[in-house]
Each structure stands twice: as C-alpha cells, then as structure tokens.
PDB file of all heavy atoms in Angstrom:
ATOM      1  N   ASP N 469      10.684 -11.306  -3.982  1.00  0.00           N
ATOM      2  CA  ASP N 469       9.836 -12.334  -3.364  1.00  0.00           C
ATOM      3  C   ASP N 469       8.364 -12.213  -3.735  1.00  0.00           C
ATOM      4  O   ASP N 469       7.501 -12.898  -3.212  1.00  0.00           O
ATOM      5  CB  ASP N 469       9.975 -12.298  -1.850  1.00  0.00           C
ATOM      6  CG  ASP N 469       9.520 -10.991  -1.212  1.00  0.00           C
ATOM      7  OD1 ASP N 469       9.060 -10.041  -1.978  1.00  0.00           O
ATOM      8  OD2 ASP N 469       9.521 -10.820   0.025  1.00  0.00           O
ATOM      9  N   GLY N 470       8.088 -11.180  -4.654  1.00  0.00           N
ATOM     10  CA  GLY N 470       6.681 -11.042  -5.066  1.00  0.00           C
ATOM     11  C   GLY N 470       5.929 -10.001  -4.354  1.00  0.00           C
ATOM     12  O   GLY N 470       4.805  -9.601  -4.764  1.00  0.00           O
ATOM     13  N   SER N 471       6.420  -9.570  -3.163  1.00  0.00           N
ATOM     14  CA  SER N 471       5.778  -8.539  -2.336  1.00  0.00           C
ATOM     15  C   SER N 471       6.010  -7.179  -3.028  1.00  0.00           C
ATOM     16  O   SER N 471       6.875  -7.024  -3.943  1.00  0.00           O
ATOM     17  CB  SER N 471       6.280  -8.500  -0.902  1.00  0.00           C
ATOM     18  OG  SER N 471       7.654  -8.165  -0.918  1.00  0.00           O
ATOM     19  N   LEU N 472       5.230  -6.197  -2.643  1.00  0.00           N
ATOM     20  CA  LEU N 472       5.369  -4.837  -3.178  1.00  0.00           C
ATOM     21  C   LEU N 472       6.330  -4.000  -2.334  1.00  0.00           C
ATOM     22  O   LEU N 472       6.314  -4.174  -1.112  1.00  0.00           O
ATOM     23  CB  LEU N 472       3.986  -4.143  -3.343  1.00  0.00           C
ATOM     24  CG  LEU N 472       3.058  -4.750  -4.349  1.00  0.00           C
ATOM     25  CD1 LEU N 472       1.658  -4.067  -4.185  1.00  0.00           C
ATOM     26  CD2 LEU N 472       3.601  -4.517  -5.733  1.00  0.00           C
ATOM     27  N   GLN N 473       7.065  -3.142  -3.022  1.00  0.00           N
ATOM     28  CA  GLN N 473       8.007  -2.223  -2.344  1.00  0.00           C
ATOM     29  C   GLN N 473       7.983  -0.911  -3.032  1.00  0.00           C
ATOM     30  O   GLN N 473       7.439  -0.735  -4.088  1.00  0.00           O
ATOM     31  CB  GLN N 473       9.427  -2.871  -2.401  1.00  0.00           C
ATOM     32  CG  GLN N 473       9.947  -3.042  -3.826  1.00  0.00           C
ATOM     33  CD  GLN N 473      11.345  -3.683  -3.924  1.00  0.00           C
ATOM     34  OE1 GLN N 473      12.058  -3.711  -2.892  1.00  0.00           O
ATOM     35  NE2 GLN N 473      11.696  -4.154  -5.065  1.00  0.00           N
ATOM     36  N   GLY N 474       8.628   0.104  -2.379  1.00  0.00           N
ATOM     37  CA  GLY N 474       8.752   1.360  -3.013  1.00  0.00           C
ATOM     38  C   GLY N 474       8.260   2.509  -2.093  1.00  0.00           C
ATOM     39  O   GLY N 474       7.875   2.267  -0.951  1.00  0.00           O
ATOM     40  N   ILE N 475       8.366   3.718  -2.576  1.00  0.00           N
ATOM     41  CA  ILE N 475       8.068   4.914  -1.742  1.00  0.00           C
ATOM     42  C   ILE N 475       6.648   4.905  -1.313  1.00  0.00           C
ATOM     43  O   ILE N 475       6.364   5.105  -0.051  1.00  0.00           O
ATOM     44  CB  ILE N 475       8.345   6.202  -2.608  1.00  0.00           C
ATOM     45  CG1 ILE N 475       9.813   6.319  -2.854  1.00  0.00           C
ATOM     46  CG2 ILE N 475       7.825   7.433  -1.816  1.00  0.00           C
ATOM     47  CD1 ILE N 475      10.197   7.406  -3.860  1.00  0.00           C
ATOM     48  N   GLU N 476       5.688   4.676  -2.147  1.00  0.00           N
ATOM     49  CA  GLU N 476       4.289   4.707  -1.785  1.00  0.00           C
ATOM     50  C   GLU N 476       3.874   3.497  -0.879  1.00  0.00           C
ATOM     51  O   GLU N 476       3.035   3.606  -0.054  1.00  0.00           O
ATOM     52  CB  GLU N 476       3.393   4.816  -3.063  1.00  0.00           C
ATOM     53  CG  GLU N 476       3.538   6.165  -3.688  1.00  0.00           C
ATOM     54  CD  GLU N 476       2.721   6.289  -4.955  1.00  0.00           C
ATOM     55  OE1 GLU N 476       2.443   5.241  -5.635  1.00  0.00           O
ATOM     56  OE2 GLU N 476       2.383   7.432  -5.330  1.00  0.00           O
ATOM     57  N   VAL N 477       4.577   2.394  -1.106  1.00  0.00           N
ATOM     58  CA  VAL N 477       4.342   1.271  -0.223  1.00  0.00           C
ATOM     59  C   VAL N 477       4.865   1.555   1.207  1.00  0.00           C
ATOM     60  O   VAL N 477       4.182   1.221   2.168  1.00  0.00           O
ATOM     61  CB  VAL N 477       5.063   0.012  -0.815  1.00  0.00           C
ATOM     62  CG1 VAL N 477       4.932  -1.149   0.182  1.00  0.00           C
ATOM     63  CG2 VAL N 477       4.466  -0.389  -2.118  1.00  0.00           C
ATOM     64  N   ASP N 478       6.001   2.230   1.296  1.00  0.00           N
ATOM     65  CA  ASP N 478       6.485   2.627   2.607  1.00  0.00           C
ATOM     66  C   ASP N 478       5.548   3.624   3.322  1.00  0.00           C
ATOM     67  O   ASP N 478       5.313   3.539   4.490  1.00  0.00           O
ATOM     68  CB  ASP N 478       7.870   3.272   2.504  1.00  0.00           C
ATOM     69  CG  ASP N 478       8.927   2.256   2.196  1.00  0.00           C
ATOM     70  OD1 ASP N 478       8.769   1.073   2.380  1.00  0.00           O
ATOM     71  OD2 ASP N 478      10.077   2.652   1.766  1.00  0.00           O
ATOM     72  N   LEU N 479       4.974   4.544   2.525  1.00  0.00           N
ATOM     73  CA  LEU N 479       3.977   5.428   3.093  1.00  0.00           C
ATOM     74  C   LEU N 479       2.764   4.675   3.566  1.00  0.00           C
ATOM     75  O   LEU N 479       2.211   4.978   4.661  1.00  0.00           O
ATOM     76  CB  LEU N 479       3.562   6.547   2.073  1.00  0.00           C
ATOM     77  CG  LEU N 479       4.683   7.539   1.657  1.00  0.00           C
ATOM     78  CD1 LEU N 479       4.142   8.435   0.547  1.00  0.00           C
ATOM     79  CD2 LEU N 479       5.155   8.343   2.881  1.00  0.00           C
ATOM     80  N   ALA N 480       2.303   3.751   2.763  1.00  0.00           N
ATOM     81  CA  ALA N 480       1.150   2.954   3.105  1.00  0.00           C
ATOM     82  C   ALA N 480       1.396   2.148   4.428  1.00  0.00           C
ATOM     83  O   ALA N 480       0.552   2.080   5.285  1.00  0.00           O
ATOM     84  CB  ALA N 480       0.777   1.990   2.024  1.00  0.00           C
ATOM     85  N   LYS N 481       2.571   1.573   4.563  1.00  0.00           N
ATOM     86  CA  LYS N 481       2.915   0.894   5.699  1.00  0.00           C
ATOM     87  C   LYS N 481       2.963   1.744   6.964  1.00  0.00           C
ATOM     88  O   LYS N 481       2.574   1.338   8.084  1.00  0.00           O
ATOM     89  CB  LYS N 481       4.290   0.169   5.541  1.00  0.00           C
ATOM     90  CG  LYS N 481       4.297  -0.985   4.628  1.00  0.00           C
ATOM     91  CD  LYS N 481       5.653  -1.598   4.420  1.00  0.00           C
ATOM     92  CE  LYS N 481       5.646  -2.792   3.503  1.00  0.00           C
ATOM     93  NZ  LYS N 481       7.043  -3.367   3.325  1.00  0.00           N
ATOM     94  N   SER N 482       3.368   3.038   6.785  1.00  0.00           N
ATOM     95  CA  SER N 482       3.383   3.930   7.880  1.00  0.00           C
ATOM     96  C   SER N 482       1.956   4.228   8.395  1.00  0.00           C
ATOM     97  O   SER N 482       1.759   4.467   9.573  1.00  0.00           O
ATOM     98  CB  SER N 482       4.089   5.222   7.527  1.00  0.00           C
ATOM     99  OG  SER N 482       3.319   6.074   6.726  1.00  0.00           O
ATOM    100  N   VAL N 483       0.992   4.210   7.475  1.00  0.00           N
ATOM    101  CA  VAL N 483      -0.346   4.423   7.881  1.00  0.00           C
ATOM    102  C   VAL N 483      -0.917   3.255   8.730  1.00  0.00           C
ATOM    103  O   VAL N 483      -1.495   3.447   9.778  1.00  0.00           O
ATOM    104  CB  VAL N 483      -1.280   4.579   6.616  1.00  0.00           C
ATOM    105  CG1 VAL N 483      -2.773   4.614   6.987  1.00  0.00           C
ATOM    106  CG2 VAL N 483      -0.897   5.855   5.823  1.00  0.00           C
ATOM    107  N   ALA N 484      -0.630   2.023   8.245  1.00  0.00           N
ATOM    108  CA  ALA N 484      -1.031   0.849   8.999  1.00  0.00           C
ATOM    109  C   ALA N 484      -0.369   0.831  10.341  1.00  0.00           C
ATOM    110  O   ALA N 484      -1.025   0.470  11.342  1.00  0.00           O
ATOM    111  CB  ALA N 484      -0.689  -0.397   8.161  1.00  0.00           C
ATOM    112  N   GLU N 485       0.934   1.144  10.401  1.00  0.00           N
ATOM    113  CA  GLU N 485       1.662   1.137  11.662  1.00  0.00           C
ATOM    114  C   GLU N 485       1.057   2.144  12.663  1.00  0.00           C
ATOM    115  O   GLU N 485       0.856   1.879  13.844  1.00  0.00           O
ATOM    116  CB  GLU N 485       3.107   1.457  11.425  1.00  0.00           C
ATOM    117  CG  GLU N 485       4.007   1.395  12.676  1.00  0.00           C
ATOM    118  CD  GLU N 485       5.444   1.695  12.431  1.00  0.00           C
ATOM    119  OE1 GLU N 485       5.806   1.818  11.244  1.00  0.00           O
ATOM    120  OE2 GLU N 485       6.245   1.808  13.389  1.00  0.00           O
ATOM    121  N   ALA N 486       0.733   3.382  12.189  1.00  0.00           N
ATOM    122  CA  ALA N 486       0.108   4.390  13.045  1.00  0.00           C
ATOM    123  C   ALA N 486      -1.235   3.888  13.556  1.00  0.00           C
ATOM    124  O   ALA N 486      -1.623   4.258  14.682  1.00  0.00           O
ATOM    125  CB  ALA N 486       0.015   5.660  12.277  1.00  0.00           C
ATOM    126  N   LEU N 487      -1.964   3.169  12.752  1.00  0.00           N
ATOM    127  CA  LEU N 487      -3.282   2.687  13.152  1.00  0.00           C
ATOM    128  C   LEU N 487      -3.226   1.433  14.078  1.00  0.00           C
ATOM    129  O   LEU N 487      -4.167   1.132  14.702  1.00  0.00           O
ATOM    130  CB  LEU N 487      -4.088   2.311  11.895  1.00  0.00           C
ATOM    131  CG  LEU N 487      -4.614   3.484  11.060  1.00  0.00           C
ATOM    132  CD1 LEU N 487      -5.136   2.932   9.752  1.00  0.00           C
ATOM    133  CD2 LEU N 487      -5.709   4.272  11.774  1.00  0.00           C
ATOM    134  N   GLY N 488      -2.069   0.790  14.009  1.00  0.00           N
ATOM    135  CA  GLY N 488      -1.947  -0.438  14.713  1.00  0.00           C
ATOM    136  C   GLY N 488      -2.690  -1.627  14.081  1.00  0.00           C
ATOM    137  O   GLY N 488      -3.131  -2.553  14.816  1.00  0.00           O
ATOM    138  N   VAL N 489      -2.760  -1.610  12.773  1.00  0.00           N
ATOM    139  CA  VAL N 489      -3.481  -2.578  12.031  1.00  0.00           C
ATOM    140  C   VAL N 489      -2.558  -3.248  10.912  1.00  0.00           C
ATOM    141  O   VAL N 489      -1.484  -2.712  10.711  1.00  0.00           O
ATOM    142  CB  VAL N 489      -4.747  -2.115  11.418  1.00  0.00           C
ATOM    143  CG1 VAL N 489      -5.724  -1.604  12.469  1.00  0.00           C
ATOM    144  CG2 VAL N 489      -4.487  -1.068  10.338  1.00  0.00           C
ATOM    145  N   LYS N 490      -3.010  -4.253  10.317  1.00  0.00           N
ATOM    146  CA  LYS N 490      -2.271  -4.951   9.168  1.00  0.00           C
ATOM    147  C   LYS N 490      -2.389  -4.098   7.874  1.00  0.00           C
ATOM    148  O   LYS N 490      -3.484  -3.568   7.579  1.00  0.00           O
ATOM    149  CB  LYS N 490      -2.755  -6.294   8.980  1.00  0.00           C
ATOM    150  CG  LYS N 490      -2.115  -7.061   7.845  1.00  0.00           C
ATOM    151  CD  LYS N 490      -2.748  -8.463   7.706  1.00  0.00           C
ATOM    152  CE  LYS N 490      -2.106  -9.227   6.496  1.00  0.00           C
ATOM    153  NZ  LYS N 490      -2.783 -10.547   6.298  1.00  0.00           N
ATOM    154  N   PHE N 491      -1.326  -3.960   7.164  1.00  0.00           N
ATOM    155  CA  PHE N 491      -1.353  -3.301   5.856  1.00  0.00           C
ATOM    156  C   PHE N 491      -1.766  -4.317   4.780  1.00  0.00           C
ATOM    157  O   PHE N 491      -1.150  -5.375   4.638  1.00  0.00           O
ATOM    158  CB  PHE N 491       0.029  -2.786   5.500  1.00  0.00           C
ATOM    159  CG  PHE N 491       0.249  -2.394   4.044  1.00  0.00           C
ATOM    160  CD1 PHE N 491      -0.698  -1.617   3.411  1.00  0.00           C
ATOM    161  CD2 PHE N 491       1.423  -2.781   3.397  1.00  0.00           C
ATOM    162  CE1 PHE N 491      -0.497  -1.280   2.034  1.00  0.00           C
ATOM    163  CE2 PHE N 491       1.564  -2.364   2.027  1.00  0.00           C
ATOM    164  CZ  PHE N 491       0.619  -1.696   1.409  1.00  0.00           C
ATOM    165  N   GLU N 492      -2.858  -4.060   4.083  1.00  0.00           N
ATOM    166  CA  GLU N 492      -3.324  -4.929   3.036  1.00  0.00           C
ATOM    167  C   GLU N 492      -3.212  -4.208   1.702  1.00  0.00           C
ATOM    168  O   GLU N 492      -4.060  -3.392   1.349  1.00  0.00           O
ATOM    169  CB  GLU N 492      -4.761  -5.290   3.320  1.00  0.00           C
ATOM    170  CG  GLU N 492      -5.340  -6.313   2.380  1.00  0.00           C
ATOM    171  CD  GLU N 492      -6.814  -6.672   2.728  1.00  0.00           C
ATOM    172  OE1 GLU N 492      -7.202  -6.517   3.909  1.00  0.00           O
ATOM    173  OE2 GLU N 492      -7.539  -7.132   1.798  1.00  0.00           O
ATOM    174  N   PRO N 493      -2.152  -4.430   0.944  1.00  0.00           N
ATOM    175  CA  PRO N 493      -1.997  -3.747  -0.360  1.00  0.00           C
ATOM    176  C   PRO N 493      -3.006  -4.305  -1.380  1.00  0.00           C
ATOM    177  O   PRO N 493      -3.235  -5.508  -1.437  1.00  0.00           O
ATOM    178  CB  PRO N 493      -0.584  -4.097  -0.775  1.00  0.00           C
ATOM    179  CG  PRO N 493      -0.208  -5.345  -0.064  1.00  0.00           C
ATOM    180  CD  PRO N 493      -1.042  -5.386   1.227  1.00  0.00           C
ATOM    181  N   VAL N 494      -3.515  -3.393  -2.170  1.00  0.00           N
ATOM    182  CA  VAL N 494      -4.486  -3.744  -3.310  1.00  0.00           C
ATOM    183  C   VAL N 494      -3.868  -3.044  -4.517  1.00  0.00           C
ATOM    184  O   VAL N 494      -3.789  -1.789  -4.544  1.00  0.00           O
ATOM    185  CB  VAL N 494      -5.879  -3.305  -2.981  1.00  0.00           C
ATOM    186  CG1 VAL N 494      -6.775  -3.681  -4.141  1.00  0.00           C
ATOM    187  CG2 VAL N 494      -6.417  -3.966  -1.691  1.00  0.00           C
ATOM    188  N   VAL N 495      -3.563  -3.809  -5.505  1.00  0.00           N
ATOM    189  CA  VAL N 495      -3.034  -3.240  -6.751  1.00  0.00           C
ATOM    190  C   VAL N 495      -4.182  -2.589  -7.551  1.00  0.00           C
ATOM    191  O   VAL N 495      -5.183  -3.167  -7.801  1.00  0.00           O
ATOM    192  CB  VAL N 495      -2.363  -4.311  -7.623  1.00  0.00           C
ATOM    193  CG1 VAL N 495      -1.957  -3.710  -9.008  1.00  0.00           C
ATOM    194  CG2 VAL N 495      -1.149  -4.932  -6.887  1.00  0.00           C
ATOM    195  N   ILE N 496      -3.872  -1.275  -7.828  1.00  0.00           N
ATOM    196  CA  ILE N 496      -4.884  -0.495  -8.613  1.00  0.00           C
ATOM    197  C   ILE N 496      -4.186  -0.005  -9.856  1.00  0.00           C
ATOM    198  O   ILE N 496      -2.999  -0.087 -10.056  1.00  0.00           O
ATOM    199  CB  ILE N 496      -5.398   0.729  -7.764  1.00  0.00           C
ATOM    200  CG1 ILE N 496      -4.257   1.469  -7.129  1.00  0.00           C
ATOM    201  CG2 ILE N 496      -6.339   0.196  -6.681  1.00  0.00           C
ATOM    202  CD1 ILE N 496      -3.709   2.645  -7.880  1.00  0.00           C
ATOM    203  N   THR N 497      -4.957   0.496 -10.773  1.00  0.00           N
ATOM    204  CA  THR N 497      -4.447   1.174 -12.001  1.00  0.00           C
ATOM    205  C   THR N 497      -4.977   2.597 -12.058  1.00  0.00           C
ATOM    206  O   THR N 497      -5.936   2.946 -11.327  1.00  0.00           O
ATOM    207  CB  THR N 497      -4.867   0.400 -13.253  1.00  0.00           C
ATOM    208  OG1 THR N 497      -6.288   0.577 -13.425  1.00  0.00           O
ATOM    209  CG2 THR N 497      -4.472  -1.087 -13.154  1.00  0.00           C
ATOM    210  N   SER N 498      -4.460   3.378 -12.957  1.00  0.00           N
ATOM    211  CA  SER N 498      -4.948   4.749 -13.102  1.00  0.00           C
ATOM    212  C   SER N 498      -6.391   4.720 -13.591  1.00  0.00           C
ATOM    213  O   SER N 498      -7.139   5.684 -13.299  1.00  0.00           O
ATOM    214  CB  SER N 498      -4.090   5.473 -14.141  1.00  0.00           C
ATOM    215  OG  SER N 498      -2.751   5.572 -13.743  1.00  0.00           O
ATOM    216  N   ALA N 499      -6.825   3.676 -14.276  1.00  0.00           N
ATOM    217  CA  ALA N 499      -8.097   3.643 -14.802  1.00  0.00           C
ATOM    218  C   ALA N 499      -9.176   3.221 -13.791  1.00  0.00           C
ATOM    219  O   ALA N 499     -10.362   3.597 -13.854  1.00  0.00           O
ATOM    220  CB  ALA N 499      -8.210   2.685 -15.956  1.00  0.00           C
ATOM    221  N   ASN N 500      -8.825   2.423 -12.764  1.00  0.00           N
ATOM    222  CA  ASN N 500      -9.838   1.892 -11.863  1.00  0.00           C
ATOM    223  C   ASN N 500      -9.794   2.375 -10.393  1.00  0.00           C
ATOM    224  O   ASN N 500     -10.594   2.036  -9.549  1.00  0.00           O
ATOM    225  CB  ASN N 500      -9.837   0.369 -11.925  1.00  0.00           C
ATOM    226  CG  ASN N 500      -8.595  -0.264 -11.245  1.00  0.00           C
ATOM    227  OD1 ASN N 500      -7.837   0.420 -10.553  1.00  0.00           O
ATOM    228  ND2 ASN N 500      -8.404  -1.525 -11.440  1.00  0.00           N
ATOM    229  N   ARG N 501      -8.723   3.182 -10.063  1.00  0.00           N
ATOM    230  CA  ARG N 501      -8.462   3.453  -8.626  1.00  0.00           C
ATOM    231  C   ARG N 501      -9.588   4.220  -8.030  1.00  0.00           C
ATOM    232  O   ARG N 501     -10.045   3.992  -6.894  1.00  0.00           O
ATOM    233  CB  ARG N 501      -7.157   4.222  -8.505  1.00  0.00           C
ATOM    234  CG  ARG N 501      -7.086   5.479  -9.286  1.00  0.00           C
ATOM    235  CD  ARG N 501      -5.676   6.058  -9.334  1.00  0.00           C
ATOM    236  NE  ARG N 501      -5.582   7.172 -10.265  1.00  0.00           N
ATOM    237  CZ  ARG N 501      -4.426   7.638 -10.773  1.00  0.00           C
ATOM    238  NH1 ARG N 501      -3.305   7.115 -10.390  1.00  0.00           N
ATOM    239  NH2 ARG N 501      -4.462   8.634 -11.624  1.00  0.00           N
ATOM    240  N   ILE N 502     -10.175   5.235  -8.720  1.00  0.00           N
ATOM    241  CA  ILE N 502     -11.268   6.023  -8.146  1.00  0.00           C
ATOM    242  C   ILE N 502     -12.541   5.188  -7.948  1.00  0.00           C
ATOM    243  O   ILE N 502     -13.161   5.218  -6.920  1.00  0.00           O
ATOM    244  CB  ILE N 502     -11.534   7.222  -9.008  1.00  0.00           C
ATOM    245  CG1 ILE N 502     -10.374   8.222  -8.990  1.00  0.00           C
ATOM    246  CG2 ILE N 502     -12.861   7.933  -8.653  1.00  0.00           C
ATOM    247  CD1 ILE N 502     -10.560   9.415  -9.841  1.00  0.00           C
TER     248      ILE N 502
END
C-alpha cells in the first residue's frame, strides 16, 4: 500500500506508542541521515 514496514519501522512505532504520539516516518539515506 506504499507505507513502510519492517523491523526498524516496528521499533519506531513502539517509540511513538510509548510517547502517546503519532509516528511520522521520514525516509533517510546513509549519506544524509546525520
């Protein structure tokens, strides 16, 4: 459906859930993430 999935996405969702906020994924690359 175009959404992101996977191990790190699940970890990210767990952070948002623990905070009680919405998860907003942002696609990064190895070159620009820092």
Side-chain angles (χ1 to χ4, degrees):
D469 64 359
S471 64
L472 289 172
Q473 62 181 343
I475 293 168
E476 292 178 332
V477 175
D478 286 344
L479 292 176
K481 288 179 178 178
S482 76
V483 173
E485 182 179 354
L487 289 168
V489 300
K490 179 183 176 182
F491 166 47
E492 187 178 334
V494 179
V495 175
I496 49 93
T497 67
S498 299
N500 69 12
R501 58 193 171 194
I502 290 178

